[in-house]
Amino acid sequence: MSVASTATIHPTACVDEGAVIGAGVDIGPFAYIGPEAKIGDGSLIKSHAVVTGNTEIGPDCTVFSFAVIGEIPQDLKFSGEKTKLIIGARNRIREHVTINTGTEGGGGVTRIGDDCLIMAGAHVAHDAQVGSRVIIVNSAAVAGHCVIEDDVIIGGLSGIHQWVRIGQGAIIGAVSMVTRDVIPYGLVEASRGKLDGLNLVGLKRKGVARSDITALRAAYQMLAQGEGAFQDRARRLGEETESDYVRRIVDFVTGESDRSFLTPE
């Protein structure tokens, strides 16, 4: 076990041999840290939290009580292979959150970026790739192999189907089931996850230029009403646009995916 001299470990906590505990880490009462866990400098592991498996938690994260981080995948194909969970910096992982390690068939690594807020009761499954500044609201579930890009918000009690990609800056309304890919900056709502416009509030809050918002509006209309298949409309957009934001949608739509897309209605 490697414990920095400035770390604080409550006497009732269980820290296994082999764990690496960084400088300024605070581990609360009855917490459990497994033998392959690495806790970054300045992180706080609150009472009764579990960090197990081959898990790396970056600096200045907070894991709240009763969260279980790094347990094996909830996948019947998993047979004990060595896989990982990598969590970046400054993440807040609230009560009863579960995040699993990867599977050999899915690349072997579940990954969380920086500055995310994962609210109470949420789940991130094996091999998911979650970007930075993502908010997963209470009791939402991200299934295996999903890709959640930066600045996404997933509403409470929502479910993201396995292999789905959600593009940068998209917002998923509460109690939505998302079974197809969501374009960057998309707005999804309703129980079966309909694409119902753009996340204009989020774009404006981030100070996106009016010219880019206008270009995104026009692009959305072309995707909704243009001729040809959805991917063909996106390719035509790519030939015409000068907006980096529209280009991000084009690249997303024309990229590789295992799912179809939610399309404008």
Side-chain angles (χ1 to χ4, degrees):
M1 179 169 56
S2 173
V3 180
S5 60
T6 54
T8 302
I9 300 175
H10 193 275
T12 62
C14 178
V15 180
D16 258 326
E17 292 294 332
V20 177
I21 310 299
V25 169
D26 188 347
I27 299 176
F30 302 104
Y32 172 71
I33 310 298
E36 297 179 287
K38 299 179 179 66
I39 312 296
D41 296 350
S43 288
L44 170 60
I45 311 299
K46 292 200 169 189
S47 66
H48 298 86
V50 172
V51 181
T52 188
N54 189 352
T55 296
E56 298 179 15
I57 295 179
D60 301 313
C61 291
T62 302
V63 179
F64 284 75
S65 299
F66 303 104
V68 180
I69 310 302
E71 262 294 359
I72 64 171
Q74 298 177 80
D75 183 342
L76 293 174
K77 297 186 298 297
F78 182 75
S79 58
E81 58 266 28
K82 290 290 185 180
T83 57
K84 299 182 70 173
L85 167 63
I86 300 175
I87 296 174
R90 300 176 302 278
N91 293 291
R92 287 169 288 170
I93 300 171
R94 295 302 307 241
E95 298 84 354
H96 298 280
V97 165
T98 54
I99 308 175
N100 296 151
T101 56
T103 64
E104 186 175 44
V109 179
T110 305
R111 194 180 305 271
I112 310 288
D114 302 329
D115 301 296
C116 296
L117 171 58
I118 305 177
M119 294 190 191
H123 174 65
V124 179
H126 58 87
D127 306 297
Q129 306 295 304
V130 178
S132 295
R133 301 175 301 280
V134 171
I135 299 174
I136 304 176
V137 181
N138 304 76
S139 300
V142 176
H145 313 283
C146 288
V147 175
I148 312 297
E149 294 188 350
D150 296 344
D151 303 304
V152 167
I153 298 174
I154 299 174
L157 294 166
S158 293
I160 313 302
H161 196 280
Q162 59 261 36
W163 300 103
V164 161
R165 298 181 302 149
I166 299 181
Q168 181 172 346
I171 184 168
I172 310 301
V175 200
S176 296
M177 180 62 204
V178 181
T179 60
R180 291 182 284 168
D181 289 356
V182 178
I183 60 171
Y185 317 113
L187 167 64
V188 173
E189 56 186 2
S191 60
R192 295 305 298 179
K194 293 183 179 180
L195 183 63
D196 195 27
L198 296 170
N199 183 14
L200 295 174
V201 172
L203 290 165
K204 291 173 182 176
R205 284 177 177 171
K206 290 185 179 300
V208 174
R210 181 172 295 180
S211 59
D212 282 310
I213 292 178
T214 300
L216 283 167
R217 285 179 183 270
Y220 185 86
Q221 288 303 313
M222 181 173 176
L223 288 172
Q225 300 172 359
E227 297 181 356
F230 188 66
Q231 281 83 352
D232 293 334
R233 295 176 225 166
R235 291 188 187 96
R236 287 200 299 274
L237 271 176
E239 295 168 359
E240 301 170 3
T241 188
E242 296 181 359
S243 168
D244 289 340
Y245 289 86
V246 176
R247 170 60 60 187
R248 190 167 287 127
I249 293 177
V250 172
D251 291 345
F252 185 88
V253 173
T254 57
E256 292 186 8
S257 177
D258 293 288
R259 314 292 300 183
S260 59
F261 285 87
L262 287 176
T263 55
E265 298 185 1

